[in-house]
Amino acid sequence: MEPFAKPTAWRLTRCLTCGCEAHYRFEYTVSKNAEDEATCRACYWRQWAQDERRRHGAYADLTPVPAAEAREHAEQHGYDYLAALTDPSYRDDPHHVRCRYCNRLAAERMGDIAFGCRCQTNPSRARQTPNPPGQKQRALLKDSGLAVLAWWDHEANDLSQWETVTVTARREAAWRCPDCGLQFTARVHDMIHRAQCPSCEPKRRAEWEAEYERYQGTPVADVPELLAAWADDEDPRTVPVSGYGRLHRFRCPSGHHPRVSPYTYLRSGCPSCRSQETRTAGLEAVEADPAPFRLSPEIASQWHPTLNGRISLAKLSPRSRRTVWWRDPGCGHEWQDTPEQRDKGQRLRCPECRTILDSLAFHFPDLATEWSPVNPVSAWHVGPSGQTVFVPTWVCSAIPEHVWQASLPSRAAGSGCPECREHGKSQIELDHHEAAERAFGKAASGQAVRHGAFVRRSVWHVDITVELGDGHKLAIEYDGSYWHADKADVDEEKSRDLLAAGYLVARLREHPLPALPIDDPGYTEFVVHSTAPNPDGVISRVRQWVSERRLPGSW
């Protein structure tokens, strides 16, 4: 229902089977096609929920979800509720929702809605890209020590790819299964999260399904390992190892009494023992290097000074699930949450103000002072490397009259006020800018211009921009003969875009540059000479040309 932009762009679609309208990325559709799975999440979750209810049989939850409850749940997590996608709607059935922040339509289950829209996901500063100047580059795959390195196909992949690919890369690479030797291609990101062979994985899945089905007809009493640990009141001769979803009591050699399904205990053992092993490994890691296991400085700065009793902040792990009190020193709001939940998903600095952790204001306070009040949110609501639906406006801290627009990543990477910046501007260009200020009263230098009429580029940097009194603008471009000798095409494209945006365009082209093939009443050229510059005289001629097309005294 929307034109194709790029593989990673969200695009509105309508399902040809059920008619549900939702946004999907093209690369997501391609991956689902490869898995022979429905792209439409409404179709997928409807079928999944039916299969789950069929699997649980008489124990399936058939309590309908009231529409009011679903609506309240969606609105609480940043969605507008549109409709239930089944009638009646049970607990695992999908619902049609729209994100209040990015307007993305989706088919989500109640549990998925609780995570919020992915547009509100706020990665920690350590994982954000691009990297600020001086920050260590992202970890290379070859140095990661991950088990997936054994799958890397050194014969099929170039050496340059091996030397440069990172652990977060989404590029395609060649792999070789260490078990069967099959060669295949897959994205690096997918293999890191779940390395699987296209040939071996279906076989393993089939073997697991066959085993699970076989154990459905096998009683616990026939499996010695389960019978030895059985501590439930039911007769083990009547309880099947798998199926039905019932939990039963076991006793492990360490004395724990977990309540789990027989199949889970057979395959995974005692969950308490596994937790103890994980905890022991974690403590050993803390003793070896405690720094990575402390709360981030920003979260620690919000520790409530009086309501946490004898709980020690220094000993609290970032992964702790203990509910404690927090207070934002900026707004004074207080709330309860666990350290683990604070560092997940949206990662809010204050849940009431909806400010975020690792914001521009926290990491770059100097840039935050230049954040314009005309922006729809504050500098505490955006990340230094985040993407916004609007182009942020900035106000120069040195000269408040200088106002410009620039993206967050460009500012975090070191860009400053284009008018105060002299780097990249020739002296002759600066002289003509000063002459324009004398002639017109006010002129901007190096301003970034964006407009919906631009078709060549999304943004152009104009040498000199003048605001005219009747709402029009004048763009003055200085074309040096050395730098613009082979840029006639770019100069023409820039001029035509500016004209389409309603600018009057005057180009000062050094001799012997040829004239551009532009025939438009809002465009003119003046020949200038680098050996005999006359900024005031040239700008005076530009002013006269503007006057001939406008009422005198309109600026």
Side-chain angles (χ1 to χ4, degrees):
M1 298 177 67
E2 289 180 341
F4 176 83
K6 56 183 179 180
T8 57
W10 292 101
R11 189 169 53 155
L12 183 62
T13 66
R14 180 188 291 119
C15 177
L16 299 178
T17 301
C18 71
C20 180
E21 295 182 3
H23 288 85
Y24 300 102
R25 288 187 169 119
F26 180 72
E27 64 176 11
Y28 180 83
T29 302
V30 172
S31 67
K32 292 305 174 186
N33 287 347
E35 298 170 8
D36 195 23
E37 181 181 305
T39 297
C40 175
R41 294 295 89 183
C43 291
Y44 179 82
W45 290 126
R46 265 194 295 262
Q47 186 61 49
W48 181 88
Q50 291 175 7
D51 293 342
E52 284 295 296
R53 288 192 288 269
R54 189 179 301 110
R55 187 172 70 86
H56 285 87
Y59 299 97
D61 185 1
L62 297 181
T63 305
V65 177
E69 178 184 338
R71 184 180 302 277
E72 181 182 359
H73 181 71
E75 293 176 351
Q76 181 181 356
H77 294 93
Y79 288 103
D80 290 326
Y81 185 77
L82 302 181
L85 293 173
T86 57
D87 186 21
S89 176
Y90 299 121
R91 188 62 55 182
D92 289 329
D93 286 328
H95 301 262
H96 204 197
V97 294
R98 177 191 291 112
C99 175
R100 290 176 172 176
Y101 303 99
C102 67
N103 291 323
R104 186 170 65 86
L105 293 173
E108 304 279 9
R109 297 172 299 173
M110 295 283 282
D112 299 327
I113 290 174
F115 288 103
C117 179
R118 68 180 63 184
C119 77
Q120 294 297 292
T121 301
N122 174 29
S124 68
R125 182 63 186 158
R127 298 195 301 272
Q128 291 188 45
T129 57
N131 298 307
Q135 192 180 66
K136 186 178 180 180
Q137 295 296 313
R138 289 174 289 172
L140 295 175
L141 176 63
K142 67 174 185 177
D143 300 328
S144 65
L146 297 173
V148 75
L149 291 175
W151 294 64
W152 186 265
D153 193 336
H154 289 275
E155 296 179 0
N157 292 311
D158 295 333
L159 179 60
S160 60
Q161 191 172 8
W162 169 253
E163 294 292 338
T164 60
V165 68
T166 65
V167 295
T168 58
R170 294 182 178 270
R171 71 174 78 170
E172 293 276 343
W175 310 87
R176 184 189 296 271
C177 176
D179 294 330
C180 69
L182 176 70
Q183 290 181 303
F184 62 97
T185 60
R187 296 195 306 180
V188 176
H189 177 270
D190 296 338
M191 289 295 291
I192 286 178
H193 286 81
R194 187 183 179 188
Q196 56 183 12
C197 170
S199 175
C200 297
E201 188 62 25
K203 295 178 183 178
R204 292 193 185 99
R205 181 70 183 180
E207 291 173 357
W208 177 87
E209 291 176 350
E211 179 187 66
Y212 191 85
E213 185 177 357
R214 175 168 54 85
Y215 275 126
Q216 285 181 329
T218 303
V220 169
D222 290 352
V223 183
E225 304 97 308
L226 293 179
L227 185 61
W230 187 257
D232 201 79
D233 293 335
E234 287 196 46
D235 188 347
R237 294 172 296 179
T238 63
V239 178
V241 176
S242 64
Y244 303 107
R246 295 285 299 277
L247 304 182
H248 297 276
R249 195 165 181 260
F250 291 86
R251 185 183 188 281
C252 78
S254 299
H256 302 134
H257 291 79
R259 289 186 62 84
V260 294
S261 71
Y263 187 78
T264 300
Y265 189 87
L266 179 64
R267 286 286 158 240
S268 304
C270 173
S272 298
C273 291
R274 295 201 313 272
S275 299
Q276 186 64 35
E277 292 174 0
T278 302
R279 182 176 181 274
T280 302
L283 292 174
E284 292 175 353
V286 171
E287 293 176 359
D289 184 10
F293 299 91
R294 297 191 184 117
L295 293 178
S296 72
E298 186 174 11
I299 293 179
S301 69
Q302 296 181 302
W303 181 259
H304 200 290
T306 59
L307 297 183
N308 287 313
R310 300 169 63 180
I311 303 175
S312 173
L313 172 62
K315 296 182 179 179
L316 201 63
S317 165
R319 302 278 75 84
S320 172
R321 298 181 182 179
R322 188 169 190 171
T323 300
V324 293
W325 281 95
W326 309 92
R327 184 173 71 183
D328 190 326
C331 62
H333 292 143
E334 300 176 350
W335 70 97
Q336 287 182 294
D337 206 347
T338 67
E340 181 185 46
Q341 289 300 320
R342 291 218 56 196
D343 209 20
K344 284 184 176 181
Q346 299 181 35
R347 303 182 65 249
L348 296 175
R349 178 182 172 91
C350 172
E352 188 167 340
C353 299
R354 306 296 294 180
T355 53
I356 63 172
L357 296 170
D358 284 324
S359 66
L360 177 77
F362 179 78
H363 285 286
F364 296 90
D366 292 341
L367 293 184
T369 62
E370 297 187 329
W371 185 262
S372 173
V374 305
N375 292 317
V377 294
S378 75
W380 290 98
H381 290 87
V382 295
S385 303
Q387 300 296 324
T388 55
V389 295
F390 63 95
V391 181
T393 301
W394 309 85
V395 179
C396 180
S397 56
I399 306 176
E401 289 75 17
H402 293 172
V403 179
W404 77 102
Q405 290 183 313
S407 66
L408 288 164
S410 68
R411 294 289 345 249
S415 70
C417 174
E419 295 192 57
C420 296
R421 175 179 59 87
E422 295 190 0
H423 175 71
K425 301 178 183 178
S426 64
Q427 185 59 50
I428 192 65
E429 179 185 324
L430 295 173
D431 292 342
H432 280 80
H433 171 246
E434 293 176 0
E437 287 188 319
R438 290 191 290 269
F440 293 98
K442 184 180 179 181
S445 173
Q447 189 176 62
V449 176
R450 295 173 172 83
H451 199 278
F454 289 176
V455 296
R456 281 82 177 177
R457 295 183 184 178
S458 60
V459 57
W460 290 103
H461 289 82
V462 181
D463 292 345
I464 303 170
T465 309
V466 178
E467 296 278 351
L468 303 175
D470 60 355
H472 289 82
K473 296 181 180 181
L474 168 66
I476 304 175
E477 288 286 304
Y478 190 93
D479 302 338
S481 59
Y482 178 80
W483 294 107
H484 289 256
D486 57 351
K487 295 183 179 179
D489 292 342
V490 176
D491 292 341
E492 181 181 351
E493 291 178 352
K494 184 176 185 179
S495 299
R496 293 192 184 279
D497 269 357
L498 291 171
L499 289 169
Y503 280 75
L504 295 175
V505 180
R507 299 202 77 99
L508 315 181
R509 293 179 66 79
E510 283 186 358
H511 178 77
L513 290 176
L516 300 178
I518 301 177
D519 184 12
D520 190 287
Y523 176 83
T524 190
E525 291 183 8
F526 296 92
V527 177
V528 295
H529 300 269
S530 59
T531 56
N534 182 16
D536 287 307
V538 172
I539 296 299
S540 177
R541 293 165 61 193
V542 173
R543 191 176 189 275
Q544 179 62 34
W545 171 74
V546 174
S547 300
E548 294 172 357
R549 283 151 182 79
R550 304 160 43 78
L551 293 175
S554 59
W555 50 78

